[in-house]
Each structure stands twice: as structure tokens, then as C-alpha cells.
Amino acid sequence: MATHDLAMRARDLVRIHDAVLSGSSPPARPRAVVARSWTRVLSLGIDPDGRNGRDPLPPSDVEERRRTSRLSLVIDEIRELLLSAADASNYLVVVADAEGVVLWRSGSPRVKRQADGLGFTDGATWTEASVGTNAIGTALAESAPVQLFSAEHFENAQVPWYCTASPIHDPIDGSLLGIVDVSGPALTLHPAIEALVTASVRLAEARLWRHHEERLEQLRRTAEPLLSGANGPLLVVDDHGWVAAHQGVAVRDRVEAPQPDRALAVPGLGLCLPERLRGGWLIRPSSSAHVLDAVLDRGGAPATLEVRGGDAPWRVALTPRHAELLAAVAAAGPAGVSAGQLSHRIYGDGEHQVTVRAEISRMRRVLGALLATNPYRLGDGVSLTVVG
């Protein structure tokens, strides 16, 4: 979009912004994502003319967050892609953690000085509750990519800016790791920025997955002597339940994340008591029963799943959404169900497939191989009854 067109768009948005905040009728409705955010921000009492909460964390706290963040594994890839673009001299690349705290900033020294004046600095918290509608905070609130331009921001101090942000998730367990953001002066917005941010997130998640596979390969090599001398079926898994090696059992990708002294249910093995290995766990059957009978009770709060496989039952509490998803998967039968079909079943449309996939990934951290994928279905040897 040309600078002239951007300037006209910015003026239109200022008129909408000012009308909404003054309580008068705007010349046009703000975009739905903006309207939702402004509603949230107004309910929080954020002052559009004030310097709302920005106090940055001490440098030592920021450094500790960087050190412990899995985003530290991919920050170089994110920077390399986003800062190699032709117009990178006009913007900042910002990476925040899942709490909206800015951990890294790179890019134009000129834009960085402007951001300093805005309080958009390392260690500052850029949630909606802290600084109003902004791409980082709104992407966190919406659990979705967000691009904001000029007066779509809530605070007047942010009106001269654009920002484009996308959540980045850990492919191992689906957890939110943080937000990748590109921000700069509003009239320098390039139409390719949104695609660049999306590409950087996909690249980073792919690199995290490769790192995960490297760790599994290392665990596989560690377990080789144990596997060569073992009798009977077993699995070697990492701390998240991802399978590094298997013998005499068909489970090939993931089981429930092991915990010390807690039985877990594995199709083909029954109930197992995990044994700690260096870098992972050894999973062997603790009984001769390999068929798992499960009961999903949706009548209580919370819903519970009870699994029997020959020994004392194994129980886990489920959120209402996870109980609903598990019941839908069970109702689909052995043929299984796709993310699109689950989106229609749970949300009434096909627009929530990303959310469905993330929720299933979180469920599999708890349920492991009880829930199979491609398509989503109950694992082999699992019988599920739904009550309540």
C-alpha cells in the first residue's frame, strides 16, 4: 500500500478511534478483533492518554527469562529471517514470552530509539492489561495472529505505529512459548510484513521440532544397550512422553508424560510404572492385561477419565473442553475424525482447526497413546464408555 493510501487509512482510523472513545457514533465500525480488544481494555480502565503500566523488569530477571525460554533455541533463526528483508531498516523485531514480557529486540537503531520513548523496551510487559490494545497483547488475548495499524491501537501514544504479531507454540506439547512481533512507524508498513512474521513462526516451530528429534535420537542411543538385552515389550520415552524407541509394542509416537511413582496407561502394554533413565523413561508393563477399559465421567466437576488395565485404576481430571473433545473422538468410532470435523462439532464452524489441534496436543500430554492421531481416534486396544 502506498504511503498516501496508508496516510488516508490512518486518518480514517483516528476518526473511528476518537469517536468510540468519546462515546459518539463512529463513521465506520472498527474491525471485529479491534472492537473485542477495545471492549476488554475499556473494562480494565486503561487510560488512552496515560502512561499505563510499563515498568520493565530488572535486567537480571530478563536474562533469566531468556535463559530458561525455549525461544532461546530459535531466536537467531527468527532474527535472520525477519532482519534480512529489504525494508528491515524501518522496523523492530520483538520477541516476547507467554506473559507478554519483551525478551529480545533487534532492528533499526532509529526505530529502537522511538520505541524507547514509548516504553517498548526489554523487560516491559506488553499485555492488553498493561498497555491496552497492541499486537503482542491482543495476539495473547485472541490466541491468534494480529496486525494492528495506527489508531487501531488503544493508547494515543501508539497511534503512530503498526505492529504485526503471531503466537509461537512448542510443537512438543502445544504450549504457548511467546509472541513474535514486527513493529515500526505506521506509514512504513509493507504488505509483506504479515507473511514474513508467519513464515518466521513456522520456521522457528520447525527448528524446535528438529531440536526435539535430535534429543530423541540422543536418548535412543543412550537406551541401545538396554534394548538389546531386554525381554518383553517396552518403550523408551522422553519427559514429554514422546517415544524414542519401542520394542514389542505398536505405540510409535507418544504416551502420557511420565511422572515418578505414578502408573500410566499404554495401549498394548496396559498399566505401566515408569522407570527413570538418563534423559528419559523406560516404560514396561506392570501387569499382564494389555486391553484398557476407560470410563469418561462428564457428570462431575471436573470431568474424570478412569482407566483399568489389570491393576488399580488410573484416573485423571479433564477440563470441560477436553472432556467434550474426547467424547467427540469416541463417538466417531474406529474411523476417527478430522480437526475440521471436530471444529464443526465443538465450535459450530470449521474456523477453529488450529485451536482443535492445539487442544488435542495438550490432551495427548496427559492421555498419550490413549488418543491416536491422523485421524483422531481412540488408540488400539482402548474401549471408552462415556457417562454423565
Side-chain angles (χ1 to χ4, degrees), residues 173-199:
D173 61 6
S175 62
L176 176 67
L177 295 176
I179 301 290
V180 177
D181 170 85
V182 167
S183 294
L187 299 187
T188 66
L189 174 62
H190 191 283
I193 290 295
E194 196 167 13
L196 270 175
V197 172
T198 299

PDB file of all heavy atoms in Angstrom, residues 173-199:
ATOM      1  N   ASP A 173       4.470 -30.044  22.904  1.00  0.00           N
ATOM      2  CA  ASP A 173       3.273 -30.209  23.734  1.00  0.00           C
ATOM      3  C   ASP A 173       2.177 -29.191  23.451  1.00  0.00           C
ATOM      4  O   ASP A 173       1.160 -29.170  24.139  1.00  0.00           O
ATOM      5  CB  ASP A 173       3.641 -30.163  25.218  1.00  0.00           C
ATOM      6  CG  ASP A 173       4.277 -28.839  25.643  1.00  0.00           C
ATOM      7  OD1 ASP A 173       4.339 -27.909  24.814  1.00  0.00           O
ATOM      8  OD2 ASP A 173       4.723 -28.753  26.809  1.00  0.00           O
ATOM      9  N   GLY A 174       2.369 -28.339  22.446  1.00  0.00           N
ATOM     10  CA  GLY A 174       1.345 -27.366  22.094  1.00  0.00           C
ATOM     11  C   GLY A 174       1.284 -26.148  22.982  1.00  0.00           C
ATOM     12  O   GLY A 174       0.437 -25.273  22.777  1.00  0.00           O
ATOM     13  N   SER A 175       2.166 -26.046  23.976  1.00  0.00           N
ATOM     14  CA  SER A 175       2.113 -24.915  24.903  1.00  0.00           C
ATOM     15  C   SER A 175       2.564 -23.632  24.216  1.00  0.00           C
ATOM     16  O   SER A 175       3.400 -23.634  23.307  1.00  0.00           O
ATOM     17  CB  SER A 175       2.993 -25.188  26.124  1.00  0.00           C
ATOM     18  OG  SER A 175       4.354 -25.343  25.747  1.00  0.00           O
ATOM     19  N   LEU A 176       2.002 -22.516  24.657  1.00  0.00           N
ATOM     20  CA  LEU A 176       2.376 -21.208  24.126  1.00  0.00           C
ATOM     21  C   LEU A 176       3.741 -20.808  24.677  1.00  0.00           C
ATOM     22  O   LEU A 176       3.940 -20.765  25.897  1.00  0.00           O
ATOM     23  CB  LEU A 176       1.323 -20.160  24.507  1.00  0.00           C
ATOM     24  CG  LEU A 176       1.638 -18.727  24.099  1.00  0.00           C
ATOM     25  CD1 LEU A 176       1.609 -18.586  22.582  1.00  0.00           C
ATOM     26  CD2 LEU A 176       0.654 -17.751  24.749  1.00  0.00           C
ATOM     27  N   LEU A 177       4.673 -20.505  23.787  1.00  0.00           N
ATOM     28  CA  LEU A 177       6.004 -20.070  24.206  1.00  0.00           C
ATOM     29  C   LEU A 177       6.119 -18.557  24.232  1.00  0.00           C
ATOM     30  O   LEU A 177       6.873 -18.005  25.043  1.00  0.00           O
ATOM     31  CB  LEU A 177       7.065 -20.642  23.264  1.00  0.00           C
ATOM     32  CG  LEU A 177       7.217 -22.162  23.260  1.00  0.00           C
ATOM     33  CD1 LEU A 177       8.243 -22.574  22.213  1.00  0.00           C
ATOM     34  CD2 LEU A 177       7.619 -22.666  24.643  1.00  0.00           C
ATOM     35  N   GLY A 178       5.408 -17.887  23.350  1.00  0.00           N
ATOM     36  CA  GLY A 178       5.508 -16.435  23.316  1.00  0.00           C
ATOM     37  C   GLY A 178       4.947 -15.867  22.030  1.00  0.00           C
ATOM     38  O   GLY A 178       4.139 -16.496  21.342  1.00  0.00           O
ATOM     39  N   ILE A 179       5.412 -14.661  21.693  1.00  0.00           N
ATOM     40  CA  ILE A 179       4.892 -13.911  20.555  1.00  0.00           C
ATOM     41  C   ILE A 179       6.062 -13.361  19.742  1.00  0.00           C
ATOM     42  O   ILE A 179       7.010 -12.813  20.307  1.00  0.00           O
ATOM     43  CB  ILE A 179       4.019 -12.727  21.019  1.00  0.00           C
ATOM     44  CG1 ILE A 179       2.836 -13.208  21.875  1.00  0.00           C
ATOM     45  CG2 ILE A 179       3.535 -11.916  19.822  1.00  0.00           C
ATOM     46  CD1 ILE A 179       1.772 -13.969  21.120  1.00  0.00           C
ATOM     47  N   VAL A 180       5.985 -13.522  18.422  1.00  0.00           N
ATOM     48  CA  VAL A 180       6.921 -12.874  17.508  1.00  0.00           C
ATOM     49  C   VAL A 180       6.221 -11.649  16.921  1.00  0.00           C
ATOM     50  O   VAL A 180       5.089 -11.752  16.432  1.00  0.00           O
ATOM     51  CB  VAL A 180       7.356 -13.827  16.387  1.00  0.00           C
ATOM     52  CG1 VAL A 180       8.282 -13.103  15.403  1.00  0.00           C
ATOM     53  CG2 VAL A 180       8.059 -15.049  16.965  1.00  0.00           C
ATOM     54  N   ASP A 181       6.907 -10.494  16.969  1.00  0.00           N
ATOM     55  CA  ASP A 181       6.271  -9.239  16.568  1.00  0.00           C
ATOM     56  C   ASP A 181       7.223  -8.423  15.701  1.00  0.00           C
ATOM     57  O   ASP A 181       8.431  -8.400  15.940  1.00  0.00           O
ATOM     58  CB  ASP A 181       5.904  -8.429  17.820  1.00  0.00           C
ATOM     59  CG  ASP A 181       5.470  -7.014  17.504  1.00  0.00           C
ATOM     60  OD1 ASP A 181       4.285  -6.813  17.198  1.00  0.00           O
ATOM     61  OD2 ASP A 181       6.330  -6.103  17.563  1.00  0.00           O
ATOM     62  N   VAL A 182       6.672  -7.764  14.700  1.00  0.00           N
ATOM     63  CA  VAL A 182       7.390  -6.745  13.937  1.00  0.00           C
ATOM     64  C   VAL A 182       6.623  -5.441  14.093  1.00  0.00           C
ATOM     65  O   VAL A 182       5.405  -5.401  13.866  1.00  0.00           O
ATOM     66  CB  VAL A 182       7.514  -7.125  12.456  1.00  0.00           C
ATOM     67  CG1 VAL A 182       7.977  -5.934  11.627  1.00  0.00           C
ATOM     68  CG2 VAL A 182       8.497  -8.276  12.285  1.00  0.00           C
ATOM     69  N   SER A 183       7.325  -4.390  14.512  1.00  0.00           N
ATOM     70  CA  SER A 183       6.696  -3.089  14.752  1.00  0.00           C
ATOM     71  C   SER A 183       7.521  -1.977  14.117  1.00  0.00           C
ATOM     72  O   SER A 183       8.756  -2.066  14.059  1.00  0.00           O
ATOM     73  CB  SER A 183       6.563  -2.814  16.257  1.00  0.00           C
ATOM     74  OG  SER A 183       5.674  -3.718  16.868  1.00  0.00           O
ATOM     75  N   GLY A 184       6.836  -0.932  13.670  1.00  0.00           N
ATOM     76  CA  GLY A 184       7.528   0.206  13.096  1.00  0.00           C
ATOM     77  C   GLY A 184       6.588   1.368  12.896  1.00  0.00           C
ATOM     78  O   GLY A 184       5.387   1.288  13.204  1.00  0.00           O
ATOM     79  N   PRO A 185       7.100   2.480  12.393  1.00  0.00           N
ATOM     80  CA  PRO A 185       6.236   3.636  12.109  1.00  0.00           C
ATOM     81  C   PRO A 185       5.118   3.253  11.148  1.00  0.00           C
ATOM     82  O   PRO A 185       5.339   2.551  10.147  1.00  0.00           O
ATOM     83  CB  PRO A 185       7.209   4.634  11.473  1.00  0.00           C
ATOM     84  CG  PRO A 185       8.563   4.250  11.993  1.00  0.00           C
ATOM     85  CD  PRO A 185       8.519   2.756  12.097  1.00  0.00           C
ATOM     86  N   ALA A 186       3.915   3.728  11.430  1.00  0.00           N
ATOM     87  CA  ALA A 186       2.732   3.268  10.700  1.00  0.00           C
ATOM     88  C   ALA A 186       2.864   3.453   9.191  1.00  0.00           C
ATOM     89  O   ALA A 186       2.495   2.561   8.418  1.00  0.00           O
ATOM     90  CB  ALA A 186       1.492   3.994  11.219  1.00  0.00           C
ATOM     91  N   LEU A 187       3.407   4.577   8.761  1.00  0.00           N
ATOM     92  CA  LEU A 187       3.425   4.866   7.332  1.00  0.00           C
ATOM     93  C   LEU A 187       4.516   4.105   6.584  1.00  0.00           C
ATOM     94  O   LEU A 187       4.661   4.274   5.370  1.00  0.00           O
ATOM     95  CB  LEU A 187       3.574   6.373   7.103  1.00  0.00           C
ATOM     96  CG  LEU A 187       2.440   7.232   7.673  1.00  0.00           C
ATOM     97  CD1 LEU A 187       2.586   8.681   7.242  1.00  0.00           C
ATOM     98  CD2 LEU A 187       1.071   6.693   7.258  1.00  0.00           C
ATOM     99  N   THR A 188       5.282   3.250   7.297  1.00  0.00           N
ATOM    100  CA  THR A 188       6.267   2.401   6.631  1.00  0.00           C
ATOM    101  C   THR A 188       5.785   0.956   6.510  1.00  0.00           C
ATOM    102  O   THR A 188       6.552   0.087   6.094  1.00  0.00           O
ATOM    103  CB  THR A 188       7.609   2.408   7.388  1.00  0.00           C
ATOM    104  OG1 THR A 188       7.432   1.790   8.679  1.00  0.00           O
ATOM    105  CG2 THR A 188       8.131   3.823   7.571  1.00  0.00           C
ATOM    106  N   LEU A 189       4.534   0.687   6.853  1.00  0.00           N
ATOM    107  CA  LEU A 189       4.008  -0.686   6.792  1.00  0.00           C
ATOM    108  C   LEU A 189       4.100  -1.239   5.376  1.00  0.00           C
ATOM    109  O   LEU A 189       3.637  -0.627   4.419  1.00  0.00           O
ATOM    110  CB  LEU A 189       2.554  -0.704   7.257  1.00  0.00           C
ATOM    111  CG  LEU A 189       1.822  -2.054   7.120  1.00  0.00           C
ATOM    112  CD1 LEU A 189       2.487  -3.128   7.960  1.00  0.00           C
ATOM    113  CD2 LEU A 189       0.344  -1.898   7.500  1.00  0.00           C
ATOM    114  N   HIS A 190       4.709  -2.415   5.255  1.00  0.00           N
ATOM    115  CA  HIS A 190       4.834  -3.098   3.960  1.00  0.00           C
ATOM    116  C   HIS A 190       3.854  -4.264   3.935  1.00  0.00           C
ATOM    117  O   HIS A 190       3.704  -4.970   4.939  1.00  0.00           O
ATOM    118  CB  HIS A 190       6.267  -3.605   3.771  1.00  0.00           C
ATOM    119  CG  HIS A 190       6.556  -4.076   2.387  1.00  0.00           C
ATOM    120  ND1 HIS A 190       6.125  -5.304   1.903  1.00  0.00           N
ATOM    121  CD2 HIS A 190       7.213  -3.480   1.357  1.00  0.00           C
ATOM    122  CE1 HIS A 190       6.517  -5.444   0.653  1.00  0.00           C
ATOM    123  NE2 HIS A 190       7.178  -4.356   0.293  1.00  0.00           N
ATOM    124  N   PRO A 191       3.199  -4.505   2.796  1.00  0.00           N
ATOM    125  CA  PRO A 191       2.192  -5.586   2.758  1.00  0.00           C
ATOM    126  C   PRO A 191       2.763  -6.971   2.998  1.00  0.00           C
ATOM    127  O   PRO A 191       2.011  -7.901   3.307  1.00  0.00           O
ATOM    128  CB  PRO A 191       1.605  -5.466   1.343  1.00  0.00           C
ATOM    129  CG  PRO A 191       2.584  -4.658   0.559  1.00  0.00           C
ATOM    130  CD  PRO A 191       3.228  -3.736   1.532  1.00  0.00           C
ATOM    131  N   ALA A 192       4.091  -7.138   2.874  1.00  0.00           N
ATOM    132  CA  ALA A 192       4.681  -8.464   3.064  1.00  0.00           C
ATOM    133  C   ALA A 192       4.993  -8.780   4.525  1.00  0.00           C
ATOM    134  O   ALA A 192       5.362  -9.916   4.840  1.00  0.00           O
ATOM    135  CB  ALA A 192       5.970  -8.587   2.236  1.00  0.00           C
ATOM    136  N   ILE A 193       4.857  -7.798   5.411  1.00  0.00           N
ATOM    137  CA  ILE A 193       5.255  -7.990   6.809  1.00  0.00           C
ATOM    138  C   ILE A 193       4.491  -9.145   7.447  1.00  0.00           C
ATOM    139  O   ILE A 193       5.067  -9.999   8.133  1.00  0.00           O
ATOM    140  CB  ILE A 193       5.044  -6.704   7.619  1.00  0.00           C
ATOM    141  CG1 ILE A 193       6.055  -5.625   7.189  1.00  0.00           C
ATOM    142  CG2 ILE A 193       5.168  -6.967   9.116  1.00  0.00           C
ATOM    143  CD1 ILE A 193       7.489  -5.971   7.495  1.00  0.00           C
ATOM    144  N   GLU A 194       3.193  -9.192   7.227  1.00  0.00           N
ATOM    145  CA  GLU A 194       2.372 -10.233   7.852  1.00  0.00           C
ATOM    146  C   GLU A 194       2.834 -11.630   7.432  1.00  0.00           C
ATOM    147  O   GLU A 194       2.966 -12.536   8.261  1.00  0.00           O
ATOM    148  CB  GLU A 194       0.902 -10.017   7.487  1.00  0.00           C
ATOM    149  CG  GLU A 194      -0.064 -10.788   8.365  1.00  0.00           C
ATOM    150  CD  GLU A 194      -1.492 -10.303   8.184  1.00  0.00           C
ATOM    151  OE1 GLU A 194      -1.758  -9.552   7.225  1.00  0.00           O
ATOM    152  OE2 GLU A 194      -2.348 -10.681   9.013  1.00  0.00           O
ATOM    153  N   ALA A 195       3.116 -11.795   6.136  1.00  0.00           N
ATOM    154  CA  ALA A 195       3.589 -13.088   5.648  1.00  0.00           C
ATOM    155  C   ALA A 195       4.965 -13.424   6.208  1.00  0.00           C
ATOM    156  O   ALA A 195       5.255 -14.590   6.508  1.00  0.00           O
ATOM    157  CB  ALA A 195       3.634 -13.079   4.122  1.00  0.00           C
ATOM    158  N   LEU A 196       5.819 -12.419   6.376  1.00  0.00           N
ATOM    159  CA  LEU A 196       7.148 -12.646   6.939  1.00  0.00           C
ATOM    160  C   LEU A 196       7.065 -13.139   8.379  1.00  0.00           C
ATOM    161  O   LEU A 196       7.776 -14.060   8.780  1.00  0.00           O
ATOM    162  CB  LEU A 196       7.971 -11.355   6.887  1.00  0.00           C
ATOM    163  CG  LEU A 196       8.818 -11.111   5.643  1.00  0.00           C
ATOM    164  CD1 LEU A 196       9.461  -9.736   5.720  1.00  0.00           C
ATOM    165  CD2 LEU A 196       9.876 -12.188   5.480  1.00  0.00           C
ATOM    166  N   VAL A 197       6.198 -12.515   9.167  1.00  0.00           N
ATOM    167  CA  VAL A 197       6.047 -12.936  10.561  1.00  0.00           C
ATOM    168  C   VAL A 197       5.523 -14.368  10.631  1.00  0.00           C
ATOM    169  O   VAL A 197       6.017 -15.195  11.408  1.00  0.00           O
ATOM    170  CB  VAL A 197       5.117 -11.964  11.324  1.00  0.00           C
ATOM    171  CG1 VAL A 197       4.795 -12.500  12.721  1.00  0.00           C
ATOM    172  CG2 VAL A 197       5.773 -10.593  11.440  1.00  0.00           C
ATOM    173  N   THR A 198       4.527 -14.677   9.801  1.00  0.00           N
ATOM    174  CA  THR A 198       4.001 -16.047   9.762  1.00  0.00           C
ATOM    175  C   THR A 198       5.097 -17.040   9.391  1.00  0.00           C
ATOM    176  O   THR A 198       5.224 -18.111  10.002  1.00  0.00           O
ATOM    177  CB  THR A 198       2.843 -16.137   8.749  1.00  0.00           C
ATOM    178  OG1 THR A 198       1.783 -15.263   9.160  1.00  0.00           O
ATOM    179  CG2 THR A 198       2.308 -17.559   8.654  1.00  0.00           C
ATOM    180  N   ALA A 199       5.909 -16.693   8.393  1.00  0.00           N
ATOM    181  CA  ALA A 199       6.987 -17.579   7.973  1.00  0.00           C
ATOM    182  C   ALA A 199       8.012 -17.775   9.084  1.00  0.00           C
ATOM    183  O   ALA A 199       8.535 -18.881   9.273  1.00  0.00           O
ATOM    184  CB  ALA A 199       7.663 -17.018   6.728  1.00  0.00           C
TER     185      ALA A 199
END
